[in-house]
Amino acid sequence: MNSEVIALRPLIAAEMRSGIRVLYASEYGSSEKGYANKYSDIDVMFVYAYGPLDYYGISPLETSIKFQDGNTEYSGMEIRSFFRSLHKSNV
């Protein structure tokens, strides 16, 4: 089984556990750039959204999710927070 499939399993588990939907995921960091060594971990960044009805509530929603699974670190950003950051940048 290739590493991409293994890296997706914790994201699917996070979807079920947190009630989110992962919209985009990408590897980043030293392993993605080819600078990794045997001690390097794998970093995965993802963008997620909640279900449509969750946005109508008055309780604030989490804007980021971080967790680790083995030597892989996952960092997620909620879609509205992602677009706010994108808007503030000079992209």
Side-chain angles (χ1 to χ4, degrees):
M1 191 174 300
N2 63 28
S3 62
E4 289 85 10
V5 173
I6 294 169
L8 288 176
R9 286 184 179 173
L11 289 176
I12 294 167
E15 283 184 327
M16 293 191 296
R17 183 176 56 248
S18 303
I20 62 170
R21 172 124 190 209
V22 175
L23 306 173
Y24 177 80
S26 177
E27 184 179 351
Y28 73 102
S30 60
S31 59
E32 185 269 330
K33 293 182 176 21
Y35 301 129
N37 59 40
K38 65 181 181 176
Y39 302 108
S40 297
D41 62 353
I42 299 168
D43 301 302
V44 176
M45 182 179 287
F46 62 98
V47 178
Y48 66 92
Y50 290 98
L53 296 178
D54 293 328
Y55 291 102
Y56 289 110
I58 59 172
S59 300
L61 299 171
E62 292 291 324
T63 59
S64 66
I65 297 175
K66 293 186 181 200
F67 62 94
Q68 188 166 353
D69 183 64
N71 72 334
T72 306
E73 292 182 6
Y74 295 86
S75 178
M77 185 178 279
E78 195 267 333
I79 188 75
R80 294 178 305 170
S81 181
F82 172 77
F83 279 120
R84 279 188 209 107
S85 295
L86 188 64
H87 179 71
K88 287 180 185 178
S89 72
N90 57 359
V91 175

